[in-house]
Amino acid sequence: MPRFMIQVRATAMSEAGEFPDDPTLVPRMMAFHDEMARAGVLVDGAGLQPSSQGFRIDYDAAGRTTVKDGPFAETKELVAGYTLINVASRDEALAWARRFPAPFPGLPCCIEVRPLMGGVDLPPEDAERLIREELA
């Protein structure tokens, strides 16, 4: 079954480490995740600390690395949280995502849904073949 990641895009508020002033948000999010768990589609989900708590590792063409500590400037390119689901199809992923509670009530925000590449439970050679087929 295909797996999808629902990504909650960061906002200036989430990057400042501020939580929305809505006492119903956590109960609504927990109820939604509980519903997905009862339906057997929830794999995992969590909020993320602001990018100021993280780091990036950049690779140059020769494979050398540079570590950069957060925060990172482009908030709209950051992820504030995620939910992993295992569903039968893209249409089912879309149906769940459309019901996802608004992560920042009263503020414009975005969630992005993307399929994960398969093959995580396969031997490396089979996983590589599967990934290449998915990209073709």
Side-chain angles (χ1 to χ4, degrees), residues 7-22 25 28-29 47-48 75 78-81 100-111:
Q7 301 173 29
V8 176
R9 290 301 186 180
T11 64
M13 174 187 275
S14 66
E15 276 298 291
E18 298 172 9
F19 200 76
D21 187 25
D22 179 350
L25 179 59
R28 286 186 297 117
M29 194 64 74
L48 301 175
T75 301
L78 300 174
V79 176
F100 200 89
F104 301 100
L107 297 173
C109 57
C110 174
I111 64 171

Side-chain angles (χ1 to χ4, degrees), residues 62-134:
R64 292 181 299 260
T65 61
T66 304
V67 177
K68 295 180 182 175
D69 289 326
F72 307 116
E74 290 296 323
T75 301
K76 66 183 179 184
E77 296 178 5
L78 300 174
V79 176
Y82 70 94
T83 300
L84 291 176
I85 57 176
N86 193 6
V87 294
S89 66
R90 180 187 186 280
D91 288 341
E92 186 179 355
L94 176 60
W96 282 107
R98 284 185 178 214
R99 297 181 46 229
F100 200 89
F104 301 100
L107 297 173
C109 57
C110 174
I111 64 171
E112 177 180 334
V113 181
R114 294 174 57 187
L116 276 66
M117 290 187 181
V120 295
D121 297 328
L122 299 174
E125 60 278 4
D126 291 339
E128 180 178 355
R129 178 189 46 75
L130 184 61
I131 290 169
R132 289 187 187 283
E133 289 171 2
E134 289 179 6

